[in-house]
Amino acid sequence: MRKMASRSGTCISRLKCAIICFFSFTIAPSSAELSSREILQKLYDETQGAYWFSNKNWLTTDDYCTWHGIECDSRDSPRIIGLDLARNNLTGTVPAELFGGLYNVGILDLQGNDKLHFDFTNIGQAHHLKKLQISSTALVSIDGIGKGVSLHELHLTSNFMRDSLPDEFFELTNLRSLWMNYNDLHGTISSKIGHLTHLEELYMYQNHFQGEIPSEFGELTKLERLILGGNYFDSTIPEELGNLVNLKELSIRNARDHDEPGPGLKGKLPDFAGLKMLTMLELNFNRLTGEIPPSLLSGVDVTQEISINLNNNLLSGTIPAELERFDNLYIELVGNRIEGISPNLCDKKLWMGGAVEDFGCDAIMCGPGHFNEDGFESFGDEPCFVCPSNQFFGSTECNATLSDRDILIRFYYAADGKNWRKNKNWDTDEPICSWFGIECSSDRDSDDSDVTIVDLENNDLFGFWDLEVIFHLPMLQELNLKSNQVDMDFTTLHKNNTSLKILNLSETTMTDINGIERLVFLHELHLTSNEINGALPDGFFDLMHLRRVFMDYNNFEGTLSSRIGNLERLRELYFFHNMFAGEIPSELGNLKHLRTLVIGGNFFNSTIPEELGNLSNLEELSIRNVREEDDDYGILTAGPGLKGALPDFAGLKMLTKLYLNGNQIEGEIPPTFLDESTVTSERVEIELNDNFLSGNVPIELERFEFLNLYLSDNSIEGISTELCDKAKWMDGNVENFECDAILCRPGYFSNEGRQTEDSPCKACADAPFFGSTNCDTPMDEISERDALKIFYQASKGYEWINNLNWTKEDVPICYWQGIECSSDRQDDDSNVIEINLQDNNLVGTLP
């Protein structure tokens, strides 16, 4: 009975199994029995294909090889070998059948679909799948992926994986490239990482891996790139990494993009001498200690470009001289405790992207007592600024904690203080406010802080380095170093670190003012009589607080920028005797508060901008085209000078001094010249000498009571007689010499073109106009013929009623109209005894 029952049970069991298997086959066929088209349709349906960005041809034809994103081989019965639906708005879960049914697919790219989930159940059936790209999706787990043993390249970057890596992951032993940056993977990295011996690229940047870095990384000897930074390691650097002989890039930088990093690497910096292929090493923002090994990367090809980033560790000592073996090294070491740079490294011209050639050691790291935001100087970046309190190389910020006394003592030694003319109390225990040239806010010599004025003019200061420390006096208002042999580099200053308002560096050895804009609160700037060359730097025009500028007698060149109009608070501007050229910018008319504008002695070739007429507060305008030279050459003309007509300057109501001499101004003096002046009862001085002005001196100028008008060496043809009664004109000389005090009349000259007590007007045969200063033929040496010619010119003979034969060279003077000679022979050419030109329309002044 029992045996019968047993047989009966077995039979029933087999029948049940057959029925179950039948219905399982009928109701839920495996992916292997779904056609490729059916699998694709299921993918389309379950990922909302109707809403894809591109679904061209999907489900519309039987030839799925024409559907968007599908790649087929070229067989008669084509097989799907690639599927690329990246960044196509797939939403939902990829059906497991996609891996199991499309088993010929070699590349599957679904990256960039941020609402797409995955089921790796059947990935083991994807025997040909080599490259899987599912970065930037909604992936949260890689459970089941360990069966995808055919994978060579796996991209999992920027997903939502949070757990530790499962053990099955390390069964993907055919992987060559693995990318899993920007996830939230936790835990330690398993020692099983050493199983992935075919890996050539491994990217695990910015996860939450913790603890020690496993030494088994050293077994991945085919690795060329190992990127492990941005995690939470607390580890030394495994010495086994030295086995990675094919490694080209190693990055374990302890920095994260948006949150705080972990503890980072610790211990000594290995020399990585065995990494013969390495060209990039990033270990910044860790806790590495000790000195840089002289043998660092000693095995690499030193002729190639090498990049090493060791910023922000705890390294100390000197950058070893042995590193000079590298031809083209970019080494970053800021934020450590480096105390020195071997000098030979500062001659490596190709280092730091070629910046060492231009900036020397500063291109590697700013030196002690300096800083900038990068910790080193490079092209287009800020220079290394002075910060006396910074102790190490490569500072990126300034913690200026030096006292006023410390700053002054540093300045004293930088400027050779022991050899100053006067240095009373300097570098002694006496209060600093009692030191020679120092004034403090309290005005009490007993105080020892709050220096506001440093005045060491003409005191034998001598220095060219580190004088900029003086600008770190926090309350310094005025600095006067005029007439000393000092030079300063404003580019080393940090913006806003000084309250300085007055700076006097005239008659020093300054050669440029680059960086001057860092003295942002400057009101008054004196740089006269230096050897400053080149164009005005753009930064100069950012000094919006400037009131007074004195830059005469330098070698500034180029055109004067239109940005000069930005300095709207200017009261005084002196640019005399430089080498500015071209047009005078009309934007000078924006400087409504300007009282003094002195820009002569340059090389302008310009008309006078009409906008200068807007300067209603202007008291002095000088654009004289002369350059004052030494005694051997006297006063010399500068460049082409001003041209065009003389404006009337009617809007310059306050003008008392106008200097436009030595130019090419032409035409007549306008009758409206300065006709809105409010200073007609004050002393007014106008120099228009040596131009091409013509016509008469207008009678309208008689409104000025005390006028000095200088018009010599023009082509002036007359002076209104009323002006010759202005007794107070020309420093009172008109009272004594009448019109001659204004200008010598035609036929006369003087050294000044007018008569004074020391310089009378003398007769001259070749002085046809008013105001001649030279005479090639004095009157006592000329012939009667030449004298008559002068008379003819002075009385406008060309307008006489009868000028028969006058000035004709082939006619004797005794034949000229109105001339009678003593011999009564008209063929004579001398001995004139009478001139009778009555009622003949003579006009002018007799010479």
Side-chain angles (χ1 to χ4, degrees), residues 385-514:
F385 305 119
V386 173
C387 182
S389 60
N390 285 349
Q391 181 180 357
F392 300 109
F393 282 81
S395 294
T396 57
E397 58 185 15
C398 181
N399 298 311
T401 58
L402 289 181
S403 66
D404 283 13
R405 175 180 287 272
D406 292 333
I407 292 170
L408 289 176
I409 290 175
R410 290 196 180 197
F411 178 78
Y412 177 76
Y413 284 100
D416 194 25
K418 292 183 178 180
N419 291 312
W420 293 356
R421 288 185 185 181
K422 297 180 181 180
N423 56 12
K424 182 181 178 182
N425 292 339
W426 278 78
D427 198 21
T428 68
D429 293 334
E430 294 296 322
I432 60 174
C433 299
S434 70
W435 295 5
F436 172 75
I438 301 299
E439 295 184 28
C440 300
S441 60
S442 66
D443 290 328
R444 294 193 303 267
D445 286 352
S446 59
D447 279 0
D448 205 49
S449 63
D450 300 338
V451 173
T452 57
I453 296 176
V454 176
D455 184 356
L456 296 169
E457 180 177 338
N458 195 24
N459 200 39
D460 286 346
L461 277 69
F462 182 89
F464 307 97
W465 303 101
D466 296 328
L467 296 178
E468 298 80 14
V469 67
I470 198 72
F471 293 109
H472 285 264
L473 291 169
M475 297 187 66
L476 185 65
Q477 301 284 309
E478 180 176 347
L479 175 62
N480 183 5
L481 302 179
K482 179 182 177 182
S483 301
N484 289 287
Q485 293 189 59
V486 295
D487 193 0
M488 288 188 165
D489 183 359
F490 299 121
T491 63
T492 64
L493 305 180
H494 191 246
K495 209 166 191 177
N496 299 327
N497 74 338
T498 177
S499 57
L500 191 70
K501 290 184 172 58
I502 300 175
L503 176 62
N504 192 337
L505 289 171
S506 293
E507 300 173 24
T508 61
T509 54
M510 293 291 297
T511 56
D512 74 66
I513 58 169
N514 292 318

Side-chain angles (χ1 to χ4, degrees), residues 331-367:
I331 184 166
E332 297 179 76
L333 281 162
V334 303
N336 282 282
R337 298 173 181 176
I338 301 299
E339 300 163 357
I341 300 176
S342 296
N344 53 328
L345 304 183
C346 303
D347 296 327
K348 303 294 291 185
K349 295 181 179 181
L350 296 179
W351 277 32
M352 308 305 288
V356 170
E357 181 174 10
D358 287 350
F359 307 114
C361 288
D362 284 349
I364 302 173
M365 282 190 291
C366 295

